Amino acid sequence: MSVLVVGAGFTSSVLCKTLRATAPLLNVTVWEKSRGAGGRSATKRDGEHSCDIGTQYLTHWKSDVFFDPYIALLKSVEVITEFTGKIVDPPGKYSDGECTHYVAPKGMNSLSKYFLTGTNPHYSTKVVSLTVRDDEKIVVHNEDNRSAEFDIVVLTIPAPQLLQLDMRPSIPDEVREKIKAIEFTPRFSLMVVFDSVPEMEWVMKYHDDDVVRFTVWDHVKRCRGLNPTLLVHSSARYAVSNTDVKTKEEAGVEMLFRLRQLLPELPDPIKTIPHYWRFGQVYKPYEGTPGFLVLNEKPLIVAGGDSFMATSNLSHAAKSGEMLAGLVRDNLGIPQFKFKDTLKNK
């Protein structure tokens, strides 16, 4: 039996890891439209420079028992390490000692890469259509007009992108309206590379500013011998007001101007690389937060990810991945396993 997983972010990678461990005979294929894994936890590489441009760190709450096995595993294989640097003016919820922050020395996309080990993702492969045939095979076409057929399709892309797909049978109008109601907060980010910089006493800094919300010295955060690189995230307000108004390059110029006002001690950069996240973080999830959404029962076409969870973070993305794996196994009559049981198959 063949399964196509669309997207190579954290939900997808957990799904693939769980299926490899608990249903090893399944033929699992991953199609990802970007050039690499990670989704919104992407690590940008430009020549000799690299920088996390999405998720900056993983926050683990003491109360989040579900995510304990993930943290233990990722620490044991040295994908993540505890962050001990200085954070200036963090949100109040991070100041009560109830959570621990972790960073990924090889980049935040290394979390997804680790769980995708053993899978062979096809990058730069964007799905444009899905058609259910009479023999209950699903024919999937990509942007290059190439096609393949599968028994099950799992879509882990941001939910609004589901409405851009040509699906036959189509998504019912009532479900389409619920998907349209999902809201994301967008974000602009700016990778700023220097030859050298003055010594700073902080690694991450939150700013009470209309344009710039967050800055982080990526090379210090990851303890990598790279050119000094500062990652700048815009405020949500700035991103919302400038979405489809300014290009990422225009926003990058404004963010750099404001950065120089906030941190006048910085020298001129040798390079800046802007990025725009239309789907930065889920603000309003799917009604009822079911964890996944079945779009076709037989053959199974299902969507998942944090669009369908109560909270938009890596823990809930992983939980959706486990739920999707359980649904696939149920569909195929394969016995259920808990995620911790899959850790034996590292």
Side-chain angles (χ1 to χ4, degrees):
M1 300 292 285
S2 59
V3 178
L4 173 65
V5 179
V6 180
F10 200 59
T11 294
S12 165
S13 66
V14 169
L15 165 64
C16 291
K17 161 72 175 175
T18 309
L19 290 179
R20 282 198 316 276
T22 61
L25 297 182
L26 279 182
N27 180 13
V28 179
T29 301
V30 177
W31 286 5
E32 164 60 49
K33 72 172 184 177
S34 301
R35 291 183 295 175
R40 284 168 280 154
S41 296
T43 303
K44 175 73 174 180
R45 288 177 171 80
D46 183 82
E48 61 184 3
H49 311 300
S50 74
C51 182
D52 290 330
I53 60 171
T55 306
Q56 291 298 310
Y57 54 88
L58 187 165
T59 299
H60 181 47
W61 299 89
K62 291 179 180 179
S63 59
D64 188 2
V65 178
F66 164 80
F67 210 50
D68 285 347
Y70 288 85
I71 295 296
L73 173 59
L74 291 169
K75 287 173 63 177
S76 72
V77 294
E78 300 181 344
V79 170
I80 61 172
T81 184
E82 186 174 342
F83 175 73
T84 58
K86 183 176 181 179
I87 305 178
V88 177
D89 295 329
K93 63 182 180 179
Y94 294 150
S95 304
D96 56 9
E98 292 300 308
C99 65
T100 302
H101 301 308
Y102 294 91
V103 295
K106 294 183 180 180
M108 285 300 294
N109 68 348
S110 63
L111 280 71
S112 294
K113 284 183 175 180
Y114 172 74
F115 286 119
L116 285 169
T117 302
T119 307
N120 183 27
H122 298 267
Y123 297 116
S124 300
T125 305
K126 181 180 179 180
V127 171
V128 295
S129 70
L130 300 88
T131 302
V132 175
R133 292 195 320 219
D134 291 340
D135 61 359
E136 297 187 351
K137 292 287 186 178
I138 307 165
V139 180
V140 185
H141 282 83
N142 67 18
E143 200 171 38
D144 296 327
N145 203 29
R146 297 180 179 179
S147 65
E149 60 181 52
F150 301 91
D151 297 296
I152 293 174
V153 173
V154 183
L155 301 154
T156 65
I157 58 180
Q161 293 181 340
L162 296 171
L163 302 180
Q164 300 171 11
L165 299 175
D166 179 11
M167 293 185 58
R168 303 177 187 179
S170 60
I171 300 173
D173 290 342
E174 179 182 355
V175 176
R176 293 181 69 87
E177 290 304 311
K178 290 182 179 180
I179 293 174
K180 287 180 181 178
I182 297 172
E183 296 181 16
F184 281 73
T185 54
R187 196 80 69 182
F188 289 97
S189 66
L190 184 68
M191 176 179 170
V192 187
V193 184
F194 302 89
D195 262 333
S196 61
V197 292
E199 186 173 343
M200 299 287 180
E201 65 174 9
W202 53 271
V203 181
M204 305 183 192
K205 189 171 186 177
Y206 286 84
H207 304 267
D208 184 12
D209 185 74
D210 287 340
V211 178
V212 172
R213 174 55 177 148
F214 176 78
T215 51
V216 53
W217 290 106
D218 186 83
H219 66 294
V220 179
K221 178 192 75 173
R222 296 199 283 141
C223 299
R224 306 289 284 182
L226 306 168
N227 278 81
T229 304
L230 187 69
L231 189 281
V232 185
H233 272 169
S234 74
S235 69
R237 180 184 302 176
Y238 177 83
V240 169
S241 62
N242 287 287
T243 289
D244 297 327
V245 175
K246 290 184 171 68
T247 66
K248 64 180 181 180
E249 290 79 13
E250 291 170 335
V253 170
E254 291 190 350
M255 291 170 66
L256 182 61
F257 179 81
R258 187 63 183 136
L259 178 68
R260 285 171 165 151
Q261 294 178 322
L262 294 171
L263 302 173
E265 65 273 28
L266 292 179
D268 290 335
I270 61 174
K271 177 178 288 190
T272 61
I273 303 174
H275 187 84
Y276 173 63
W277 296 100
R278 183 174 294 275
F279 305 109
Q281 192 168 23
V282 181
Y283 173 72
K284 180 183 177 183
Y286 189 85
E287 179 182 307
T289 59
F292 58 81
L293 175 64
V294 175
L295 300 173
N296 194 79
E297 291 188 0
K298 190 175 182 180
L300 179 64
I301 303 175
V302 59
D306 59 356
S307 297
F308 305 96
M309 302 297 292
T311 304
S312 181
N313 60 25
L314 291 176
S315 176
H316 281 75
K319 185 173 291 187
S320 179
E322 287 195 25
M323 295 172 73
L324 289 167
L327 183 65
V328 170
R329 291 195 302 264
D330 277 346
N331 186 267
L332 299 175
I334 300 172
Q336 295 295 320
F337 295 85
K338 294 183 178 180
F339 178 79
K340 64 181 180 180
D341 296 329
T342 74
L343 301 188
K344 299 175 184 178
N345 298 337
K346 294 182 184 179

